[in-house]
């Protein structure tokens, strides 16, 4: 898609206002901020309970080809 220079250069605050910058884990219905290491460990532990054919990844048609390629590569290798 195409943005005018005004839109491209002046949307920073709108886009970043509610951006998640730290990982959170849902514990008993409460969102808790954790370190990146804890979030990665928690995710790995939970994914280990599934067979590879029980996990799927959703990509976006609006993402770049490169982004979708690396997501696909990551999904197949990890």
């Amino acid at each position: 898609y195409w943005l005018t220079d005004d839109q491209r250069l002046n949307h920073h605050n709108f886009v970043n206002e509610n951006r998640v910058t730290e990982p959170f884990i849902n514990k008993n219905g409460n969102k808790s901020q954790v370190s990146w290491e804890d979030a990665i460990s928690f995710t790995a532990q939970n994914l280990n309970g599934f067979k590879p054919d029980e996990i799927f990844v959703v990509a976006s048609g609006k993402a770049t080809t490169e982004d979708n390629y690396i997501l696909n590569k990551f999904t197949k290798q990890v």
Side-chain angles (χ1 to χ4, degrees):
Y1 57 92
W2 181 82
L3 293 174
T4 64
D5 287 341
D6 181 59
Q7 292 169 327
R8 182 174 58 84
L9 299 172
N10 295 313
H11 76 286
H12 186 310
N13 290 339
F14 172 76
V15 171
N16 292 300
E17 190 172 287
N18 295 313
R19 182 172 292 209
V20 176
T21 58
E22 298 293 328
F24 291 87
I25 293 177
N26 187 353
K27 295 180 180 178
N28 301 323
N30 296 317
K31 187 170 57 169
S32 301
Q33 186 174 348
V34 296
S35 69
W36 284 105
E37 292 79 16
D38 289 344
I40 292 168
S41 176
F42 177 83
T43 302
Q45 288 172 359
N46 282 285
L47 286 175
N48 279 334
F50 294 95
K51 298 175 188 171
D53 63 348
E54 295 176 325
I55 300 171
F56 70 92
V57 176
V58 179
S60 172
K62 293 185 177 184
T64 65
T65 301
E66 293 82 1
D67 289 339
N68 283 330
Y69 169 80
I70 201 69
L71 178 63
N72 183 29
K73 187 174 181 178
F74 173 81
T75 302
K76 288 179 180 180
Q77 291 181 358
V78 176

